Amino acid sequence: MEFGDILKVIGEFGRFQKRLIVLLCVPQFLSSFHLFSQIFIAMEAPHYCNASWIRSLGLNLTEDQELNLTIPRKPDGSLEECYMVTPVEGHRRSLQLNSTERCRDGWVYPGKLQPTLLTEFNLVCGRKKLNEISQSLFMVGVLAGALVFGPLSDRIGSRNMILLTLLLMGCFGVGAGLAPNLEVYITMRFFVGSAFGGISISMAALTSEWVGASHRPFAMLITHCFHVAGQIGLVGLAYRIREWRRYQIVGSVPVLCLFFYIWVLPSSARWLLTRGRVQEATKEIQRAARINKRSIPEELLNQLPAQKKGTSGGILDLFRKPHLKKITLIMAWLWFVDSLVYYGMSHQIGDFGLDIYMTQLVFGVVEIPARVSCIFLLHWLGRRKCQAGWLLLGGVVCMIIPAVPQTCPVAVTVLAVINKAALGASFSTTYVWSVEVFPTVLRQTCLGLCSVSARVGGIIAPLANLLDDIHPAISMVLFGVTALVGGILCFFLHETQNRDLQDDTTGALAKDYHGDVLRIMVYLALSTAD
């Protein structure tokens, strides 16, 4: 007897599963803050060199006169941001106005600005790249979390991993808001990223393992929609709270309020069975049946597959078995592309020429219908066609954006919004497809490896934007080419629509793989004969 047969008896999408989805939607909503929070606290701000040295000369000048004597002007008449007149000793007539140098005593930020990450740690001029490096190191943390927490989740279970990562995310998120310097802030954000890398894998696994095949896309995509809703809520929080430390703490504390999940979040009965813990699995199944108001016969419980204890898989199976190797490599590329293009576009939000708050709001609003449409398209077209379609659309849009004149910021923003919606839908489709193609005994390990690939893309994304200093089209062309390649590779994977999850490494997909090999050999033989 397979676990899918048990689900049909206790209910594939009853009150128990709906309550589970609600519980997982809350951390999905809150985790958006940590992914995109730095966009708002490191926004560009007017600045120029601190030239207070001139006051020591006792010249009794006005502020405008001081600026005219100490800060060079650009051709358009605005103040130079990164250079100042070389300081001198003596009287006013000894000033060498043609001699300039880089800022040596920090910067001045005119206007009554609330403290931001950029202004407090001076992430401007020569230190500007530290912002992108900080974002990349956050993604390094997400990668580390996928490497560590993915396999660990297979050992301790997705429920326990969710509880652990929620605690880590809340504590280190608050710690980032209390950081005394940039180095400590980056370190705190690294651990927040590690927690995010673990919780995203575990929530996907726990959702897929409790919901029937026909309802699985709906369940997973609803949680993804709450992740997008979190991005929309983030805009309101950032607009309301401009002081970055209070903003960071207010966005992190709610995660710690989910401590009660210890008593309400269920374990995966399917995972317990693969570990041979039949008694614990039985309790979870009976609990689900009771909440769904279903009765499960005792003789059915006695048939639970206790032999699953010996049906375990190792990470080497991914490379020993041809069908798993192909699936893993292609899925890893799809995750890489999703992350690279999705976050690459997100980090460029301030470069489109429109208000950053409005642009981020639109980015979030259009993603919801795009992800909701996946619920219906996955049932209508299947996983493979949807995944390929979204990636090909995103790739084509990326190739068009560099051709649009910079004098048309609205057109660029519209194309960016289309791309963001397509990649958001692609990300959701990838999650659904991934949990279906990998067996239960290796699912979270495989998702961890795919997540590692995605985080490599996330690390490269902000750094790829630095290539625009060489030519403004490089990053977009890079995003477009990788997305187009991913769309083509989708056709080399199998369709998993309406199939039950595999529990071991010798399931139906292995047979499909050998069938494909046989069909290819027959085709080549016939072609040669002709």
Side-chain angles (χ1 to χ4, degrees):
M1 173 178 293
E2 298 294 333
F3 188 76
D5 300 321
I6 299 290
L7 276 180
K8 292 175 182 177
V9 175
I10 65 175
E12 293 185 304
F13 197 62
R15 289 180 59 191
F16 173 82
Q17 285 86 355
K18 292 174 183 176
R19 191 174 75 172
L20 172 63
I21 298 306
V22 171
L23 290 174
L24 295 180
C25 281
V26 178
Q28 281 280 22
F29 179 89
L30 297 176
S31 64
S32 293
F33 171 83
H34 298 287
L35 272 178
F36 301 104
S37 62
Q38 195 164 321
I39 293 174
F40 297 102
I41 60 177
M43 290 190 299
E44 287 288 338
H47 59 276
Y48 53 82
C49 296
N50 179 8
S52 57
W53 57 268
I54 197 171
R55 295 170 190 165
S56 64
L57 301 180
L59 301 177
N60 195 25
L61 302 173
T62 65
E63 183 178 353
D64 289 339
Q65 290 173 330
E66 289 179 356
L67 292 177
N68 288 333
L69 290 173
T70 58
I71 307 297
R73 298 276 179 172
K74 296 180 180 179
D76 61 2
S78 61
L79 296 175
E80 181 63 58
E81 297 171 330
C82 302
Y83 290 91
M84 57 184 278
V85 172
T86 303
V88 296
E89 296 181 1
H91 299 287
R92 178 177 178 178
R93 57 176 173 269
S94 67
L95 294 177
Q96 301 296 320
L97 299 181
N98 293 327
S99 176
T100 61
E101 63 179 43
R102 288 188 174 274
C103 305
R104 64 164 68 171
D105 298 318
W107 289 263
V108 174
Y109 302 92
K112 297 180 179 179
L113 297 177
Q114 291 284 352
T116 68
L117 189 74
L118 181 141
T119 60
E120 185 164 334
F121 298 136
N122 292 322
L123 303 181
V124 294
C125 298
R127 293 172 55 85
K128 185 176 180 180
K129 293 181 180 180
L130 292 176
N131 183 32
E132 281 75 17
I133 293 173
S134 171
Q135 294 277 36
S136 291
L137 289 176
F138 172 81
M139 285 298 178
V140 171
V142 181
L143 186 152
L147 282 172
V148 174
F149 294 136
L152 182 60
S153 185
D154 273 331
R155 292 181 176 274
I156 69 174
S158 51
R159 172 190 178 273
N160 293 331
M161 183 54 61
I162 290 172
L163 296 175
L164 174 62
T165 49
L166 282 174
L167 177 63
L168 294 176
M169 189 179 295
C171 291
F172 286 107
V174 172
L178 302 174
N181 52 56
L182 184 63
E183 290 74 16
V184 174
Y185 171 81
I186 292 176
T187 302
M188 294 293 105
R189 288 274 294 166
F190 173 88
F191 288 109
V192 171
S194 300
F196 177 81
I199 197 171
S200 58
I201 296 170
S202 299
M203 288 194 295
L206 188 59
T207 302
S208 66
E209 292 171 4
W210 267 119
V211 178
S214 60
H215 300 281
R216 195 177 301 126
F218 174 80
M220 296 191 67
L221 292 171
I222 285 296
T223 62
H224 287 188
C225 286
F226 272 81
H227 181 74
V228 178
Q231 296 181 39
I232 298 174
L234 173 62
V235 176
L237 180 65
Y239 188 81
R240 185 70 180 85
I241 304 177
R242 303 296 179 94
E243 198 277 307
W244 81 272
R245 292 186 182 276
R246 190 157 60 96
Y247 164 80
Q248 178 70 34
I249 293 172
V250 169
S252 302
V253 166
V255 176
L256 298 175
C257 298
L258 301 181
F259 66 90
F260 66 93
Y261 274 31
I262 296 174
W263 298 284
V264 298
L265 193 66
S267 294
S268 168
R270 186 190 292 267
W271 173 80
L272 290 170
L273 289 174
T274 64
R275 293 292 166 180
R277 296 158 63 175
V278 179
Q279 188 174 2
E280 295 174 61
T282 301
K283 291 181 180 179
E284 292 292 348
I285 292 171
Q286 290 173 331
R287 177 187 178 188
R290 183 175 63 255
I291 294 175
N292 286 344
K293 296 183 179 180
R294 297 284 189 93
S295 59
I296 181 168
E298 192 67 29
E299 57 271 17
L300 191 61
L301 291 174
N302 293 333
Q303 297 177 32
L304 289 177
Q307 72 274 12
K308 290 288 184 181
K309 184 175 183 179
T311 312
S312 60
I315 195 169
L316 292 179
D317 286 334
L318 297 178
F319 304 99
R320 289 173 180 160
K321 300 179 184 294
H323 69 288
L324 284 178
K325 179 167 65 175
K326 181 187 76 170
I327 291 170
T328 302
L329 292 176
I330 295 179
M331 274 297 174
W333 178 259
L334 298 184
W335 281 65
F336 171 82
V337 171
D338 284 339
S339 183
L340 174 68
V341 184
Y342 184 84
Y343 294 118
M345 293 297 294
S346 297
H347 293 318
Q348 288 196 5
I349 188 173
D351 300 333
F352 298 140
L354 297 180
D355 179 72
I356 189 171
Y357 296 99
M358 182 58 67
T359 305
Q360 178 62 26
L361 179 63
V362 173
F363 269 18
V365 169
V366 299
E367 267 196 65
I368 292 181
R371 297 196 187 224
V372 170
S373 69
C374 289
I375 298 174
F376 307 100
L377 291 175
L378 288 173
H379 283 294
W380 181 33
L381 299 175
R383 282 57 166 158
R384 180 166 53 187
K385 292 179 181 178
C386 281
Q387 183 77 73
W390 292 122
L391 286 176
L392 292 174
L393 173 60
V396 169
V397 171
C398 282
M399 302 298 282
I400 294 175
I401 288 177
V404 179
Q406 295 182 352
T407 55
C408 303
V410 175
V412 173
T413 302
V414 169
L415 290 172
V417 165
I418 295 173
N419 178 276
K420 190 75 159 35
L423 267 296
S426 175
F427 233 137
S428 292
T429 305
T430 306
Y431 267 95
V432 174
W433 205 6
S434 297
V435 298
E436 293 178 342
V437 297
F438 293 122
T440 301
V441 293
L442 284 172
R443 181 167 298 116
Q444 294 183 80
T445 298
C446 294
L447 289 177
L449 289 176
C450 288
S451 184
V452 166
S453 180
R455 303 322 157 196
V456 171
I459 293 168
I460 295 174
L463 299 179
N465 294 332
L466 296 176
L467 296 174
D468 290 345
D469 293 339
I470 302 173
H471 192 282
I474 293 180
S475 63
M476 282 299 166
V477 172
L478 175 65
F479 297 156
V481 170
T482 54
L484 291 173
V485 171
I488 294 171
L489 287 177
C490 291
F491 295 102
F492 291 88
L493 290 177
H494 297 93
E495 181 57 64
T496 58
Q497 185 178 11
N498 293 327
R499 292 190 181 188
D500 192 22
L501 297 179
Q502 298 178 86
D503 286 331
D504 54 41
T505 59
T506 58
L509 289 180
K511 299 176 183 178
D512 286 347
Y513 171 80
H514 294 300
D516 278 354
V517 173
L518 180 60
R519 283 192 290 272
I520 293 172
M521 293 176 65
V522 171
Y523 174 78
L524 292 175
L526 292 175
S527 300
T528 304
D530 291 340

